Amino acid sequence: MGRLNLLRLAALASLLNFIKAIPAGHKTFDYVVIGGGTAGLVVATRLSEDPGTTVAVIEAGPHHVNEPLVDTPELFSRALGNPAFDWRFVTTPQVNLDNAILPQPRGKMLGGSSGLNFIVWDRASQREYDAWEQLGATGWNWNSLLPYFKKSETVAPQLQADIFPQTSQPSEANFDAFHGRAGPVQPSYNVIYSNVTIPYVDAINSIGVPTNSDPYTGNATGVYNTEVAIDRVKNIGKRSYAASTYFNMSSDRPNLTVFLSTQATKINFDLGDSLGQMRASSVDVVAVNSTGTTGRIFARKEVILSGGAFGTPHLLELSGECIGNPEILREAGIQTLIDLPAVGENLQDHPSFTQDFEVKNTLFTYDLLRNNVTFNASQEAEYAESGTGLLANVQFVLTFSPLKDLISSQLLSTVQDDATKLINAPGTSPLARRQHRITRDFLTADDVANVEFIMFPGGGRTRVAPAPGSAYITVYTCLMHPFSRGSVHVNTSDPLASPQIDPSYLDNDIDRQLALQGVKLARTITQTEPLNALVVSDHSPGANVTTDADWIEFTKGFLTTTYHPIGTAAMLPRELGGVVDPLTLKVHGTDNLRVVDASLMPMLIATHPQSTVYAIAERASDIIRGRIFGY
């Protein structure tokens, strides 16, 4: 027997062993969902409501049960960078940040990033969702998503103690028009507030930003008390996320199978319908550890990709003899099956900058947990016993401000001119040109935020360590509609290698100018009464940062991100630079491969996107089940 035939037999034997690793009778399903994160668990839960439909979920991470780093609200961010919870992706060197390489955490667990994020539960303004349809995402707008926002949540109105200055409590009827009362996720308002909160809100009002009584009604601008994904009804005091809600609803269904610690490495295709569409037939998987599964999982009906803004384009480019840009794939040693150059393009994210300010140590901040051992022990005991206390809260104050409320009319005019130049620049793609026109209009809008300020009453969140016995407030400045566009691509055919992530932070004059003005304004807020009377000093970056040149160096050296990547498999027409058909959510050129996750969003929105991802997944589930007319 020739050497070539021996190699073929060896390869066949290897493949047979690969497939046999999945128990007989459990390797073929109606639907195969890749990614057991925020969106994937919603889709799997809804599809498996039909007992005659079999659903498999492939999840690379474990299922964390009773894990403090996931469940305990006050411990938010502590799991970042921990390989037991986080994919630990990083960017390529960022040329506009002195070649800094930045972490890009993503949840590697059942529940995905809903178990790793900072728990905020909010929405963008109606105009921003409507812009998706204006851009070309037919059927995706505020009105089409509102029923699904409500379907995903159960939330009660604010109590009188939750009402910020200059607002009133919405009527119950008005509240019910925009909020859900019977959904799986259990967001709530905080039950403990720092005594620095009201002076901070008053200072925000003093610089011209009003308080918003209910930002969930279609205008999400202003300073407001945000809902947070903390359950105060069922799992009291714990994070309410996809694994503790949607998965717990469906985990005992015999028609739902979850493969944990199992990583999808390739989607396999057959020639589909007579129109030449490719049909996803199976998914190759490998065990991440001894509890995982190696083999091939077959799909009778559909494969649904929910890998997120990094994982979805990565797997698309790896899959088959692959989906994506032929030039990029050729360099990685991958043959192109479907020529779809928009895969992995259009990456957008919210860059942020973190400053903290020392305040009088008589104020009630989260620094008490660090400074007072007895108090910390009492809070731990209270939380363990009843799920209450400071550990059951994350008391953010969010301010989403239109740009025209923050800068002079002269500077605003300059920024608009810069936007026009970028729109007309020779290298701007047709998609980016259309997006930038919409974003240019946002610059002067009353109902769209361009900058977010997040106040957290506590320190220890910057690179400058807090002093013992001191108290702080931390202010995050975030750009909501950056003009930067990045990408996510393979750079090797190795399916276990991380994708190459290039957000291209601050690659244009507009983003650099807004970053400069934003961080300067964060300091101005703390110098405004009545907050100023409580501030002791500028702790980080420090009072020695005074000139624009100083601040520019700060923005370059201290940029982080709020970890909101979107857009890399945009639901837009193929000719515009779309990857996914917005009507069906099927990847262009395929018959049965759909995408459901944040990579679908064609444009970034001024919000923390988790509630939007839940709503997208709920609506997608109805599209898949044929419950939306015309789909």
Side-chain angles (χ1 to χ4, degrees):
M1 183 179 293
R3 184 171 181 271
L4 182 58
N5 286 332
L6 286 172
L7 287 172
R8 286 173 174 166
L9 286 173
L12 178 60
S14 175
L15 177 61
L16 290 173
N17 288 332
F18 197 55
I19 296 173
K20 287 178 181 176
I22 297 177
H26 295 278
K27 64 183 180 183
T28 301
F29 303 84
D30 293 321
Y31 295 93
V32 176
V33 180
I34 303 173
T38 312
L41 287 183
V42 174
V43 172
T45 296
R46 295 309 184 194
L47 293 179
S48 63
E49 287 176 341
D50 176 0
T53 297
T54 57
V55 180
V57 176
I58 301 168
E59 170 52 46
H63 182 198
H64 293 293
V65 179
N66 296 323
E67 169 52 63
L69 290 179
V70 174
D71 294 338
T72 307
E74 197 278 329
L75 299 182
F76 77 92
S77 81
R78 303 286 180 87
L80 298 181
N82 185 329
F85 306 89
D86 185 358
W87 281 95
R88 298 198 301 173
F89 295 136
V90 296
T91 68
T92 59
Q94 295 298 285
V95 295
N96 297 292
L97 306 178
D98 296 330
N99 288 322
I101 295 174
L102 303 181
Q104 297 284 297
R106 294 284 87 194
K108 190 177 184 180
M109 66 183 92
L110 198 66
S113 293
S114 71
L116 191 69
N117 65 26
F118 290 11
I119 309 185
V120 174
W121 187 266
D122 63 342
R123 300 174 192 164
S125 290
Q126 175 173 344
R127 182 169 176 172
E128 297 172 86
Y129 295 108
D130 290 348
W132 291 357
E133 187 161 50
Q134 178 186 349
L135 191 63
T138 304
W140 292 89
N141 55 56
W142 169 264
N143 288 331
S144 69
L145 280 169
L146 181 58
Y148 297 102
F149 279 119
K150 296 172 67 176
K151 185 176 182 179
S152 68
E153 66 180 17
T154 296
V155 61
Q158 300 178 65
L159 302 174
Q160 192 58 45
D162 302 320
I163 306 298
F164 281 1
Q166 300 188 20
T167 59
S168 58
Q169 192 166 17
S171 69
E172 190 159 329
N174 194 58
F175 184 89
D176 286 344
F178 296 97
H179 298 262
R181 296 287 196 132
V185 185
Q186 302 279 326
S188 62
Y189 292 93
N190 279 300
V191 294
I192 297 175
Y193 295 92
S194 166
N195 52 4
V196 78
T197 298
I198 299 305
Y200 178 84
V201 173
D202 286 339
I204 292 288
N205 294 156
S206 294
I207 67 169
V209 180
T211 310
N212 191 333
S213 296
D214 190 350
Y216 299 85
T217 61
N219 184 338
T221 62
V223 57
Y224 60 83
N225 190 6
T226 183
E227 296 169 16
V228 284
I230 301 174
D231 190 341
R232 305 198 192 279
V233 178
K234 296 179 179 179
N235 299 310
I236 296 176
K238 291 186 176 183
R239 179 195 293 265
S240 185
Y241 72 114
S244 66
T245 56
Y246 282 89
F247 178 66
N248 279 1
M249 289 168 52
S250 57
S251 60
D252 61 348
R253 295 174 186 167
N255 59 324
L256 176 63
T257 301
V258 176
F259 295 91
L260 294 171
S261 301
T262 300
Q263 185 168 340
T265 58
K266 181 182 176 184
I267 303 169
N268 300 298
F269 291 90
D270 299 327
L271 187 61
D273 59 26
S274 59
L275 299 177
Q277 301 280 82
M278 301 304 297
R279 182 173 181 81
S281 57
S282 61
V283 181
D284 290 347
V285 297
V286 296
V288 173
N289 56 37
S290 60
T291 66
T293 298
T294 295
R296 180 167 290 174
I297 301 174
F298 292 86
R300 293 188 190 91
K301 294 183 177 179
E302 295 186 5
V303 174
I304 298 157
L305 181 50
S306 298
F310 299 151
T312 285
H314 188 226
L315 192 57
L316 284 175
E317 290 189 335
L318 286 168
S319 287
E321 285 73 46
C322 178
I323 302 174
N325 187 323
E327 293 183 9
I328 293 172
L329 301 181
R330 193 178 304 116
E331 290 180 3
I334 302 171
Q335 182 181 348
T336 305
L337 183 64
I338 301 174
D339 184 353
L340 203 55
V343 170
E345 297 297 314
N346 193 46
L347 174 63
Q348 301 161 57
D349 191 12
H350 290 145
S352 66
F353 311 89
T354 309
Q355 299 160 253
D356 66 358
F357 305 85
E358 185 177 356
V359 296
K360 293 179 178 180
N361 64 4
T362 54
L363 292 169
F364 181 74
T365 71
Y366 281 76
D367 297 292
L368 280 168
L369 298 171
R370 172 177 54 84
N371 293 330
N372 189 321
V373 174
T374 302
F375 178 76
N376 184 61
S378 72
Q379 291 301 299
E380 289 179 346
E382 179 181 347
Y383 185 74
E385 181 179 350
S386 61
T388 59
L390 206 57
L391 273 62
N393 290 270
V394 284
Q395 205 252 291
F396 297 117
V397 178
L398 304 188
T399 304
F400 286 91
S401 182
L403 188 61
K404 68 184 189 60
D405 292 343
L406 301 178
I407 64 176
S408 69
S409 57
Q410 181 179 0
L411 183 55
L412 178 57
S413 179
T414 299
V415 172
Q416 288 177 289
D417 289 343
D418 287 341
T420 300
K421 292 176 184 176
L422 188 59
I423 290 167
N424 296 326
T428 303
S429 71
L431 173 57
R433 188 167 287 118
R434 292 182 66 171
Q435 291 170 329
H436 293 342
R437 289 193 185 105
I438 293 171
T439 305
R440 181 181 58 186
D441 291 342
F442 286 170
L443 295 173
T444 55
D446 292 316
D447 55 351
V448 175
N450 290 279
V451 180
E452 179 191 15
F453 299 101
I454 309 169
M455 191 279 285
F456 175 73
R461 309 265 169 195
T462 68
R463 298 182 196 175
V464 182
S470 58
Y472 301 88
I473 62 169
T474 300
V475 180
Y476 303 85
T477 302
C478 316
L479 304 187
M480 292 292 96
H481 292 285
F483 284 77
S484 302
R485 294 294 182 270
S487 63
V488 179
H489 291 297
V490 296
N491 60 359
T492 171
S493 59
D494 178 1
L496 301 183
S498 294
Q500 184 170 277
I501 301 167
D502 181 11
S504 294
Y505 292 125
L506 303 187
D507 72 352
N508 61 85
D509 290 339
I510 307 165
D511 292 355
R512 289 191 286 268
Q513 182 62 245
L514 296 188
L516 170 63
Q517 299 304 320
V519 295
K520 290 167 64 176
L521 191 56
R523 177 182 283 177
T524 299
I525 293 168
T526 68
Q527 294 172 338
T528 303
E529 296 296 354
L531 181 61
N532 182 53
L534 306 177
V535 175
V536 174
S537 67
D538 185 328
H539 182 245
S540 175
N544 60 320
V545 174
T546 57
T547 67
D548 279 4
D550 294 336
W551 283 113
I552 289 169
E553 286 304 307
F554 171 73
T555 60
K556 289 171 60 179
F558 288 81
L559 183 146
T560 58
T561 165
T562 42
Y563 314 122
H564 298 158
I566 64 99
T568 51
M571 51 180 177
L572 291 170
R574 188 172 188 170
E575 61 273 14
L576 184 60
V579 174
V580 171
D581 179 355
L583 293 175
T584 64
L585 302 185
K586 293 178 182 178
V587 174
H588 292 302
T590 73
D591 181 52
N592 70 332
L593 173 62
R594 305 198 204 228
V595 172
V596 183
D597 57 33
S599 69
L600 290 175
M601 298 185 194
M603 278 186 68
L604 202 55
I605 49 180
T607 188
H608 300 246
Q610 75 160 327
S611 74
T612 300
V613 173
Y614 280 109
I616 287 172
E618 284 281 16
R619 187 170 190 270
S621 299
D622 277 356
I623 290 174
I624 295 167
R625 293 183 290 183
R627 296 185 178 185
I628 296 180
F629 179 75
Y631 289 78

